[in-house]
Amino acid sequence: MPRLLGCAFCLLSLLDFAPGSQAEDFSQLSGAQLIERLAAPETRRAAFAQLFLQTEALKERENLGDYLDPQVVICPQGDGAPIAIVLCKMKEPQASDPLRYQISDVETLFPLESADVPVTAQGWMKERVLFAYSAAGEKLTPFGGWNLLSGFLFDLNGDGSVESAEVRGYGGDQPEESVDELHVARVESRAVGLLDVVINRGKDDSWGWALQREADGTFAIAIGPKDNPDAEGPAENSNGWALRSVAAVYRWNKTGKRFEGPTGSPAEHFLRVDSKTDFERLVETVGALSPFPTPEPMPAATPAAPALSSGTPLEVWHYVSLRGRSDAELLEIMTGGKDANEVEREAIVPTHLPEGFWSLPPKEAALALVEANRSPENRRDCRLAIDDRGGAVPPVSGQVWFEWTGGGCGFAPRAGRTQLDYTPGRSRCSLAQVTLQSEVDSPVIADALSRPRTVAVPNGVARQVYETIWWLGRVRNDCGSHLGAIGRPTSSSDGALKFRLAPEAQPLIEVALVSLPFSSYWNDGYDREVHANLAFFLLRQFEIEKIGLLDPAVAPPAIGGPRQSTPEEEFLSKQEPPEASQPAAVEAYVKRLLEILQMPHTTVSKFSVIGHLVPNGEPLRFRDARIDEALSHMARAGLSVDGEGPHFADLGYARYAAAALALRDRPEAFDLLVALLGRGESLGGSTALAALSFFTVRHPEFRDRLRGVLEKALHSIHKSQLDVGSLFDAVWIGQFRELTPLLEKLSTSSADEIASQRSSGSGLTSDGTVSRFHEARRILTAWEKQDPLTHAKLYALIEAYTDREVPTPDLIGPLFEHLSSEERVAFRTFLAWCEKHEEKPRAPKFSDYARKRFRALQSQFR
């Protein structure tokens, strides 16, 4: 039997409702009087509470406290009395997570601020529970059993009535029967359906919809593939999903009083159905049709209708001569520019103590510390308060205790233990920490931490720190429906933190020791993990700034000896490649490398082993057929790996092996690389793409096939699993000027434009904008006809700032040959200037790789 999705009552939990003190006895008011009170913000909550108690079934009344922040939309009914729609946020169920704080009587700590939702409002409403009442206060069910709104509720077609517009999900017995249906209806005592379009089927949710403002101020409805297929709801585009293209538009015909637009078909990925079709019949109807096809990748283009974009039209890239530009200007043009991820990272506030922190009273200091380290998302979605109800005050003495381990990402792990004993007149603080040079048994670590340094602490600062940490444990966050929705990022540098706050404030817990800046980590609810990390940060700052117990510039003493290298590690690190004049030594060297490569478990990276067998600068140094055989076997093994789970690295090894085959000019390399690149995201993609493009330069017969691969990837770049930088670099290596029109669509207009977040090589575009990239702009700029010297400089800048692990064609040499003697001198001077150039505030950061590349270019063009 098909089932209806969207019922809200199954998610509710019991909580007392506190309508607040009122001079009027609402229980004595008639339904009509309650509707009048419902319209006024100051009496709305109490009026809704009474209407709920009078109209809901007895078993539902205990759930009143789960409906928060009631808002009202008045729906005109022609000549009849209007209908009042009440939209409520739904209280989050009490979490079973032991780290999450439970807030009793939440509305006394976070008073609700109800606001009217005027009929002209056009904002998206997410997961609002819907209640409807007649003018006499009678309960209505205009949408039958569907009482959860995620969409729009206003007069969208200008007919004087209020319409709802949202997508409803229906599930059938079989996965392919499940459908997403765009449903538009006019609000009446029994809603009148105006438009129903099936836009997704089965597990596919790649299509969305958006409101498109018309010239007369009304709205049409557009449907099409979403710019971000994984988006759960509108973000930057307040009128709906950001659509990559528009497949159909439905417009209101005022004379015929109906929406008009195409019927569609499963082949077109949408199908208009009769608004009177109930959900069971709908599922049966769609289930009888052929499945919706998986949409083909579409070009990343601006939406067909400007109204679908939340911003002004983007300026397009166009050619401008760079003749006469200074070296600094060329550097900025070719290497400058930020992407959305860089802008976001720059906006991250480092974890810090707020100004004047040490002079604040402890309760104020706790709130200020939390506020200073909140993320923008947390400030937007969550309210902050200290729960001091019932006259809560810190104890007159207590203890703060931490024990931790952490490290990673190139840093030796550390372990430590610190404790603040706050007792008026005899407070003390102790600290012990060590660096772990290798795996060390727990008893050895415990013994090292049992001998801390201890110092006496003045009573005033001891009280300040202890009571601030105590008040940090009384901070509460109300995030409503946003709570827990975003999640927290993690880092391989995170550690483990044990925390105890006595007496009885916080029993011993173990949480993650966060290494990220706190404002980028904490973007949802405040819990015990947040408390522990902020308290740990505060105590460490206290030990540094106030009592000198900790010097962050001095490394802790090390325990444990260095890890013993394995024979394989010793061989790779110490064995020099033999000369070709020593055939016996070469035979032994290659044999040992192949043995390591074929070991099922080893402590060395197989990338490194392949690099020894096929050196980048001389891939055919060892002309041993066994190398090709082993690489081919490893590459073919990757064809059965999906790039996820425990075999994630195997696909990376396979790609690297196929890339090595390409460098060794093996004919089977092309098909292997193309097949492996299509198997999902994994390691080795950048090397594989570069090797594939380089192979095609030497074998022009494969050029058209590679162009097709790159063109398809660029068309779907918003969701491509290939590294974006490497994808553009492959276009550059092969000089695929045929792709210029596509690059122009993907290009930023200048270095001042903020490029897509996909520029960093991972993640889908979720900012509601078209994907545009500085890499495309740089290639187009270098390809345009310039004077010979400028042309050579532009090519050098691209080459120097492209980090490749494989050799590639010499693209600059032919340009250098056409330079005059004076221009060659100027070109060499330019290379030397780039290597030694000091960074300016807006100049890109020079990597060691770029400096090496500039030095190599100077040697090449001496």
Coordinates of all heavy atoms in Angstrom, one line a residue, residues 370-406:
V370 N 31.9 32.9 24.5 CA 31.1 32.1 23.6 C 30.7 33.0 22.4 O 30.8 32.6 21.2 CB 29.9 31.5 24.3 CG1 29.0 30.8 23.3 CG2 30.3 30.6 25.4
E371 N 30.2 34.2 22.7 CA 29.7 35.1 21.6 C 30.9 35.4 20.6 O 30.7 35.5 19.4 CB 29.2 36.4 22.2 CG 28.6 37.3 21.2 CD 27.4 36.7 20.5 OE1 26.5 36.1 21.1 OE2 27.3 36.9 19.2
A372 N 32.1 35.6 21.1 CA 33.2 36.0 20.3 C 33.6 34.9 19.4 O 34.2 35.2 18.3 CB 34.4 36.4 21.2
N373 N 33.3 33.7 19.7 CA 33.8 32.5 18.9 C 32.7 31.8 18.2 O 32.8 30.7 17.7 CB 34.6 31.6 19.8 CG 35.9 32.1 20.2 OD1 36.8 32.2 19.5 ND2 36.0 32.6 21.5
R374 N 31.5 32.5 18.1 CA 30.4 31.9 17.3 C 30.6 32.1 15.8 O 31.1 33.1 15.4 CB 29.1 32.5 17.7 CG 28.6 32.2 19.1 CD 27.1 32.0 19.1 NE 26.4 33.3 19.2 CZ 25.1 33.4 19.1 NH1 24.3 32.3 18.8 NH2 24.5 34.6 19.2
S375 N 30.1 31.1 15.0 CA 30.1 31.3 13.6 C 29.0 32.1 13.1 O 28.0 32.3 13.8 CB 30.0 29.9 12.9 OG 28.7 29.4 13.2
P376 N 29.1 32.7 11.9 CA 28.0 33.5 11.4 C 26.7 32.7 11.3 O 25.6 33.2 11.6 CB 28.5 33.9 10.0 CG 30.0 33.9 10.1 CD 30.3 32.8 11.1
E377 N 26.8 31.4 11.0 CA 25.6 30.6 10.9 C 25.0 30.4 12.2 O 23.7 30.4 12.4 CB 26.0 29.2 10.3 CG 26.4 29.2 8.9 CD 27.9 29.5 8.8 OE1 28.6 29.7 9.8 OE2 28.4 29.6 7.6
N378 N 25.8 30.3 13.3 CA 25.3 30.1 14.6 C 24.6 31.4 15.1 O 23.5 31.4 15.7 CB 26.4 29.8 15.6 CG 25.8 29.3 16.9 OD1 25.4 30.1 17.8 ND2 25.8 28.0 17.1
R379 N 25.2 32.6 14.8 CA 24.5 33.8 15.1 C 23.2 34.0 14.4 O 22.3 34.6 14.9 CB 25.5 35.0 14.8 CG 26.7 35.1 15.8 CD 27.3 36.5 15.6 NE 28.4 36.6 16.6 CZ 29.7 36.3 16.3 NH1 30.0 35.9 15.0 NH2 30.7 36.4 17.1
R380 N 23.2 33.6 13.2 CA 22.0 33.7 12.4 C 20.8 32.8 12.9 O 19.7 33.2 12.9 CB 22.3 33.4 10.9 CG 21.1 33.6 9.9 CD 21.4 32.9 8.6 NE 21.6 31.5 8.7 CZ 22.3 30.7 7.9 NH1 23.0 31.3 6.9 NH2 22.4 29.4 8.1
D381 N 21.2 31.6 13.2 CA 20.1 30.6 13.4 C 19.9 30.3 14.9 O 18.9 29.7 15.2 CB 20.6 29.2 12.8 CG 20.7 29.3 11.3 OD1 20.0 30.2 10.7 OD2 21.4 28.5 10.7
C382 N 20.7 30.7 15.8 CA 20.6 30.3 17.2 C 20.7 31.5 18.1 O 21.4 32.5 17.9 CB 21.8 29.4 17.6 SG 22.0 27.9 16.5
R383 N 19.9 31.4 19.2 CA 19.9 32.4 20.3 C 20.7 31.9 21.4 O 20.8 30.7 21.7 CB 18.5 32.8 20.7 CG 17.6 33.4 19.6 CD 16.2 33.8 20.1 NE 15.4 32.6 20.3 CZ 14.2 32.6 20.9 NH1 13.7 33.8 21.3 NH2 13.5 31.5 21.1
L384 N 21.3 32.8 22.1 CA 22.3 32.5 23.2 C 21.8 33.0 24.5 O 21.3 34.2 24.6 CB 23.7 33.1 22.8 CG 24.9 32.6 23.6 CD1 25.2 31.1 23.2 CD2 26.1 33.4 23.2
A385 N 22.0 32.3 25.6 CA 21.6 32.7 26.9 C 22.4 31.9 28.0 O 22.9 30.8 27.7 CB 20.1 32.6 27.2
I386 N 22.5 32.5 29.2 CA 23.0 31.7 30.3 C 21.8 31.4 31.2 O 21.0 32.2 31.6 CB 24.0 32.6 31.1 CG1 25.4 32.5 30.3 CG2 24.2 32.0 32.5 CD1 26.5 33.1 31.1
D387 N 21.8 30.1 31.5 CA 20.7 29.6 32.4 C 21.0 29.8 33.8 O 21.7 29.0 34.5 CB 20.4 28.1 32.1 CG 19.2 27.6 32.7 OD1 18.5 28.4 33.5 OD2 18.8 26.5 32.5
D388 N 20.6 31.0 34.4 CA 20.8 31.2 35.8 C 19.5 31.2 36.6 O 19.4 31.8 37.7 CB 21.5 32.6 35.9 CG 20.7 33.7 35.3 OD1 19.6 33.4 34.8 OD2 21.1 34.9 35.4
R389 N 18.5 30.5 36.0 CA 17.2 30.4 36.7 C 17.4 29.7 38.0 O 18.2 28.8 38.1 CB 16.2 29.7 35.8 CG 15.9 30.5 34.5 CD 15.0 29.8 33.6 NE 15.7 28.6 33.0 CZ 15.1 27.7 32.2 NH1 13.9 27.9 31.8 NH2 15.8 26.7 31.7
G390 N 16.5 30.0 38.9 CA 16.6 29.4 40.2 C 17.7 29.9 41.1 O 18.0 29.2 42.1
G391 N 18.3 31.0 40.8 CA 19.4 31.6 41.6 C 20.7 30.8 41.5 O 21.4 30.8 42.5
A392 N 21.0 30.2 40.4 CA 22.2 29.4 40.3 C 23.4 30.3 40.4 O 23.5 31.4 39.9 CB 22.2 28.7 38.9
V393 N 24.4 29.8 41.3 CA 25.6 30.5 41.5 C 26.7 29.5 41.6 O 26.5 28.3 42.0 CB 25.6 31.4 42.8 CG1 24.6 32.5 42.6 CG2 25.2 30.5 44.0
P394 N 28.0 29.8 41.2 CA 29.1 28.9 41.3 C 29.4 28.5 42.8 O 29.1 29.3 43.7 CB 30.3 29.6 40.7 CG 29.7 30.7 39.9 CD 28.4 31.1 40.7
P395 N 30.0 27.4 43.0 CA 30.4 27.0 44.4 C 31.6 27.8 44.9 O 32.2 28.5 44.0 CB 30.7 25.5 44.3 CG 31.0 25.3 42.8 CD 30.2 26.3 42.1
V396 N 31.8 27.8 46.1 CA 32.9 28.6 46.7 C 34.3 28.0 46.5 O 35.3 28.7 46.7 CB 32.7 28.9 48.2 CG1 31.4 29.7 48.4 CG2 32.7 27.5 48.9
S397 N 34.3 26.8 46.0 CA 35.6 26.2 45.7 C 35.3 25.0 44.7 O 34.2 24.6 44.6 CB 36.3 25.6 46.9 OG 35.6 24.6 47.5
G398 N 36.4 24.6 44.0 CA 36.1 23.5 43.0 C 37.4 23.2 42.3 O 38.5 23.7 42.6
Q399 N 37.2 22.3 41.3 CA 38.4 21.8 40.5 C 38.0 21.7 39.0 O 36.9 21.3 38.7 CB 38.8 20.5 41.0 CG 40.0 19.8 40.4 CD 40.2 18.4 40.8 OE1 39.6 17.5 40.3 NE2 41.1 18.3 41.8
V400 N 39.0 22.1 38.2 CA 38.9 21.9 36.7 C 40.0 21.0 36.3 O 41.2 21.2 36.7 CB 39.0 23.2 36.0 CG1 38.8 23.0 34.4 CG2 38.1 24.3 36.4
W401 N 39.7 19.9 35.6 CA 40.7 18.9 35.3 C 40.5 18.5 33.8 O 39.4 18.3 33.3 CB 40.4 17.6 36.2 CG 41.4 16.5 35.9 CD1 42.6 16.3 36.5 CD2 41.2 15.4 35.0 NE1 43.2 15.1 36.1 CE2 42.3 14.5 35.1 CE3 40.2 15.0 34.1 CZ2 42.5 13.4 34.4 CZ3 40.3 13.9 33.4 CH2 41.5 13.0 33.5
F402 N 41.7 18.4 33.1 CA 41.7 18.0 31.7 C 42.8 17.0 31.5 O 43.9 17.1 32.1 CB 42.0 19.1 30.8 CG 40.9 20.2 30.7 CD1 41.0 21.3 31.4 CD2 39.8 19.9 29.9 CE1 40.0 22.3 31.3 CE2 38.8 20.9 29.8 CZ 38.9 22.0 30.5
E403 N 42.6 16.0 30.6 CA 43.7 15.1 30.1 C 43.4 15.0 28.6 O 42.3 14.8 28.2 CB 43.6 13.8 30.8 CG 44.8 12.9 30.4 CD 44.8 11.6 31.3 OE1 45.3 11.6 32.4 OE2 44.4 10.5 30.7
W404 N 44.5 15.1 27.9 CA 44.3 15.1 26.4 C 45.4 14.4 25.7 O 46.5 14.2 26.2 CB 44.2 16.5 25.9 CG 45.5 17.3 25.9 CD1 46.4 17.4 24.9 CD2 46.0 18.0 27.0 NE1 47.4 18.2 25.3 CE2 47.2 18.6 26.6 CE3 45.6 18.2 28.3 CZ2 48.0 19.3 27.4 CZ3 46.4 19.0 29.2 CH2 47.6 19.6 28.7
T405 N 45.1 13.9 24.5 CA 46.0 13.5 23.5 C 45.6 14.1 22.2 O 44.4 14.3 21.9 CB 46.0 12.0 23.3 OG1 44.7 11.5 23.0 CG2 46.5 11.3 24.6
G406 N 46.6 14.5 21.3 CA 46.2 15.1 20.0 C 47.5 15.3 19.2 O 48.6 15.1 19.6

